[in-house]
Amino acid sequence: MTSAARPADLALPIDDPALADRLRARMASVEEALYGHAASRTTYVTEAARHLLAAGGKRFRPLLVLLAAEAGPRPEAPEVLTAACVVEITHVGSLYHDDVMDEAALRRGEDSANARYDNLVAILTGDFLFAKSSELTAELGPEAVKIQAETFTRLVEGQILETVKPGPGEDALAHYLDVVAGKTGSLIATSAHYGARFAGAEPAVVDALTAYGELVGTAFQLSDDILDIASETEESGKTPGTDLKEGVPTLPVLMARASTDPADARLLELLDPERTDLAADADLHAEALDLLRKHPAMAEAQAYVVARAQEAKQLLEVLPQGAVRGALEAFADVVAVRSA
C-alpha cells in the first residue's frame, strides 16, 4: 500500500450523519496531507517514512483534533488540519523508535520498520518525521511551538522512564501511570488542545478538552497494554506479549503482582521483576501469557481503564448536549473497551 487511500468509515461510532460526513471528508484531507508531508527529496526516505502510514492505524489523534475543533466556531480553519497532521506525524515518528526499543517484528499487521529495513534506518526515519512535525508546528505560531516542545519533552521523558525501575519506596503503579501519562497521554491531550484552540473555542472549553484528552490518552495506552496480553496476532496486528517479553511491567502485570493468593505462586514466579529469561524462552513466555490471561487482574485492569474514561466524559459537561459532545463521549467509550 503506497497511496493515501483509507477506509471510508471513521474509527468511532458517530450517530449524527452530518457530523460523520464532515469528519469523514476532513479525515480524507488529513490523510492526503499526511502522505505529502512524509515525502522526501529522495525516494528511499519517502518510502521508509510512508511505511507505517501505509500500514494503517486508527488515526485517533487527528480525528480527536477534528472532533475537538467542532467545539469551536471555526472547525474548518486551515490550522486545524495542519494541527491534525502535526500530532499524527509526531505519533508515527515515535512508533519507529518504539519498534526499535521493543525489537518488534510487526506493527499494524505489517513488518515493523526495523524488521523491513534495520534499526538505524528506523531511528533516523523517526527523526525525519519528528523534523517534519516541527516544520508544520512552526506554521501554527510560537504558542503552538511551545506546546509541541512541552508535549515532546513529556513523550520522550515517558519513554525513558519506562526503561527505569521505580526507586526504593516508590509505588510501582504510580511510576507506571506517570510513564503512560507522558508517553501517550501528553500527545492525545495536545490533540484535543490544538483542535479546540485553533477552532477558536473558549479558554474554559480548551482547558476541559485538554484534560479530557489526557485521560482518554491514558485510557488508550492502558487498553493497549491489555490488548498486548489478551489479543492474538491476527486480531491486534501486533506480536502478543511484547511488553511482557521485554520486562515492561504494564497495568495487568502490576495488578497481578499485588496478588497474595497462594494459587498464583507460579504466575508470580514468572512475573518476578528480576527474571530475564522470558524473552529468550518461548515456552516460559507462553506460559506466563496464558496464566495472565486467565487471572482476575485482567478484569481489574479493564475496570480501571473504564473508570478513567468515565472521568474523561465528566469533563465534557462544559459542552452543550448534542452531536459533538456525544461523539466525544463515544470516543472515550471506544478507547476504553477497544479490541484492536
Side-chain angles (χ1 to χ4, degrees):
M1 180 177 179
T2 58
S3 71
R6 296 284 295 165
D9 288 338
L10 298 168
L12 304 170
I14 296 177
D15 294 334
D16 184 86
L19 176 60
D21 286 345
R22 290 198 303 274
L23 292 173
R24 197 172 287 116
R26 291 174 193 161
M27 281 301 296
S29 296
V30 169
E31 196 68 27
E32 182 177 359
L34 285 172
Y35 276 75
H37 294 314
S40 164
R41 59 188 177 84
T42 68
T43 302
Y44 183 79
V45 176
T46 298
E47 178 188 323
R50 289 176 173 174
H51 175 64
L52 290 186
L53 281 175
K58 299 295 186 183
R59 302 289 196 256
F60 277 127
R61 292 158 187 82
L63 183 54
L64 180 54
V65 173
L66 302 184
L67 264 178
E70 291 284 337
R74 301 189 302 277
E76 296 187 24
E79 294 86 354
V80 171
L81 187 147
T82 299
C85 291
V86 165
V87 297
E88 185 64 10
I89 291 173
T90 301
H91 168 61
V92 173
S94 74
L95 298 183
Y96 284 79
H97 290 188
D98 281 352
D99 287 344
V100 172
M101 292 174 66
D102 295 342
E103 298 180 355
L106 291 176
R107 169 66 70 175
R108 296 168 176 170
E110 303 286 342
D111 288 343
S112 63
N114 51 301
R116 177 164 179 162
Y117 303 100
D118 57 37
N119 284 349
L120 179 60
V121 170
I123 290 169
L124 291 174
T125 302
D127 292 345
F128 172 80
L129 290 171
F130 291 146
K132 284 289 186 178
S133 71
S134 296
E135 288 180 5
L136 284 174
T137 305
E139 297 178 10
L140 297 173
E143 185 61 25
V145 170
K146 181 175 183 292
I147 293 167
Q148 182 72 0
E150 291 171 346
T151 302
F152 196 55
T153 296
R154 290 187 62 200
L155 190 157
V156 174
E157 184 179 55
Q159 290 282 23
I160 294 170
L161 289 176
E162 188 176 40
T163 70
V164 178
K165 293 181 180 180
E170 185 179 358
D171 181 78
L173 180 57
H175 173 89
Y176 179 65
L177 293 175
D178 190 38
V179 166
V180 169
K183 77 172 192 175
T184 304
S186 61
L187 188 58
I188 295 182
T190 296
S191 301
H193 186 148
Y194 277 164
R197 169 185 286 269
F198 291 117
E202 294 293 325
V205 172
V206 174
D207 290 345
L209 289 182
T210 302
Y212 160 91
E214 181 94 10
L215 283 167
V216 167
T218 297
F220 186 93
Q221 180 60 52
L222 296 178
S223 287
D224 197 59
D225 293 346
I226 294 169
L227 282 172
D228 183 67
I229 295 166
S231 294
E232 301 297 336
T233 302
E234 58 270 21
E235 294 174 340
S236 67
K238 294 175 62 179
T239 304
T242 297
D243 292 326
L244 184 64
K245 182 178 292 185
E246 296 303 318
V248 177
T250 56
L251 185 65
V253 169
L254 290 167
M255 289 180 165
R257 282 179 182 170
S259 173
T260 58
D261 188 341
D264 293 333
R266 177 56 178 167
L267 176 59
L268 293 176
E269 179 186 345
L270 291 170
L271 297 182
D272 187 324
E274 300 303 318
R275 289 193 79 120
T276 59
D277 54 356
L278 291 187
D281 192 317
D283 290 338
L284 285 178
H285 179 252
E287 181 184 3
L289 259 184
D290 181 61
L291 290 173
L292 194 52
R293 285 169 175 166
K294 297 172 182 176
H295 195 273
M298 293 294 286
E300 186 181 354
Q302 186 66 67
Y304 182 90
V305 172
V306 170
R308 300 294 75 73
Q310 291 300 314
E311 289 179 25
K313 289 165 65 176
Q314 290 173 6
L315 291 166
L316 298 175
E317 292 176 1
V318 70
L319 300 177
Q321 292 285 356
V324 175
R325 179 169 165 178
L328 287 164
E329 288 173 342
F331 194 111
D333 287 336
V334 169
V335 163
V337 297
R338 68 194 181 98
S339 58

